[in-house]
Amino acid sequence: MLLAWPWLLALGLLVGRGEAQSCTQAYGGPNLARGQPTMQASPVASSGPGSSGCAVNGVCNGNWNSASCTQTNLVNDPWWSVDLGKEYSISLVVVKNRQDCCGYRLQGATVYVGNYMGDFGSSSISCGTITNIEEGSLTTIPCNGAVGRYVTIAITDRVGYLTVCGVEVYGTCPLSRRC
């Protein structure tokens, strides 16, 4: 009976609202995005809370004051991108929503993989769209081996803010290259 408690606790943490979930997951490889260069459309800050690098700084609690969230100004087609440094075959992207307010800002955000910073057009591959906008939610988007150097999250065809509070990217070297 004592052996069942750790499993029940782990299950409870996984199915919770997101408060107990961290972005750090064990997906069989390193987070390719952590600490990499980032950029976003019309940032609200160049450093500290709201700056683009907050999404990959390893702080993933979803709270604005912890400098774990990026945010654009109110713009048409807001986007955020990370430069992985070289091409990878992307397996999945994990996106953390803001915990302390404004979860709706991720509604309809799509994850793209491509070879240009900020590209969410015809030269990039769309992996999927975020539909869970509950505050603190953690969304895993499969990219099924899409090859690219940049991962972009964008909301297209509307004016809005884009707020992201943690991004992890997992993948491997493409078969055509050595890493």
Side-chain angles (χ1 to χ4, degrees):
M1 182 67 173
L2 288 176
L3 293 175
W5 280 108
W7 289 105
L8 289 173
L9 177 60
L11 181 61
L13 291 174
L14 289 173
V15 298
R17 283 192 57 225
E19 292 92 327
Q21 296 178 356
S22 73
C23 288
T24 306
Q25 302 291 323
Y27 288 113
N31 172 7
L32 302 172
R34 182 149 186 200
Q36 295 294 350
T38 59
M39 183 179 279
Q40 64 189 14
S42 185
V44 297
S46 59
S47 64
S51 63
S52 66
C54 289
V56 295
N57 67 3
V59 179
C60 193
N61 63 22
N63 293 312
W64 181 265
N65 290 329
S66 298
S68 74
C69 301
T70 73
Q71 182 176 304
T72 66
N73 284 302
L74 184 65
V75 295
N76 190 40
D77 299 336
W79 58 270
W80 174 92
S81 278
V82 60
D83 179 354
L84 302 176
K86 57 186 165 188
E87 282 188 340
Y88 286 94
S89 176
I90 307 302
S91 303
L92 56 91
V93 176
V94 179
V95 181
K96 172 77 172 183
N97 201 352
R98 188 165 170 179
Q99 180 86 24
D100 54 358
C101 88
C102 319
Y104 63 89
R105 290 183 180 168
L106 267 181
Q107 177 66 46
T110 301
V111 174
Y112 297 88
V113 173
N115 285 313
Y116 304 99
M117 178 72 80
D119 180 22
F120 49 94
S122 61
S123 64
S124 61
I125 297 167
S126 170
C127 295
T129 301
I130 296 169
T131 57
N132 183 356
I133 59 169
E134 184 176 343
E135 291 176 8
S137 62
L138 197 60
T139 300
T140 301
I141 303 287
C143 288
N144 301 317
V147 176
R149 177 177 172 165
Y150 299 91
V151 172
T152 300
I153 300 171
I155 300 173
T156 58
D157 300 325
R158 81 170 196 245
V159 173
Y161 297 96
L162 177 62
T163 303
V164 179
C165 294
V167 176
E168 294 183 357
V169 178
Y170 296 92
T172 58
C173 287
L175 293 177
S176 61
R177 300 193 179 219
R178 291 183 52 184
C179 291

